[in-house]
Amino acid sequence: IATETLEPGSEWKLYFTQATATRDYAPGEAAVNIQLAAASQTIELGPIFILDMGPDFDRSTLPTN
């Protein structure tokens, strides 16, 4: 549904991505996949939220990176 390329730094920071699904997904059908580079590193991940804002939601009001 969405792809976002980010370069995290050493400080904790919120990151955002947004997309519009081209079809409906049943509960448990959509998932989040995070791909990390092969370098030695420590990554701390906080909670991830997938929100259904409805078809008429104004995406311009959402935060961006």
Side-chain angles (χ1 to χ4, degrees), residues 33-54:
N33 183 347
I34 300 174
Q35 297 179 10
L36 304 173
S40 178
Q41 57 192 322
T42 300
I43 301 285
E44 240 183 285
L45 299 175
I48 297 172
F49 300 96
I50 300 174
L51 305 173
D52 181 351
M53 307 303 272

Side-chain angles (χ1 to χ4, degrees), residues 8-59:
S10 60
E11 298 296 319
W12 180 257
K13 180 180 175 185
L14 289 173
Y15 293 97
F16 304 92
T17 190
Q18 55 176 288
T20 300
T22 57
R23 66 178 184 88
D24 290 338
Y25 289 86
E29 186 180 6
V32 173
N33 183 347
I34 300 174
Q35 297 179 10
L36 304 173
S40 178
Q41 57 192 322
T42 300
I43 301 285
E44 240 183 285
L45 299 175
I48 297 172
F49 300 96
I50 300 174
L51 305 173
D52 181 351
M53 307 303 272
D56 298 322
F57 184 77
D58 181 3
R59 291 176 47 194

Side-chain angles (χ1 to χ4, degrees), residues 16-18 59-65:
F16 304 92
T17 190
Q18 55 176 288
R59 291 176 47 194
S60 69
T61 64
L62 294 172
T64 59
N65 297 316

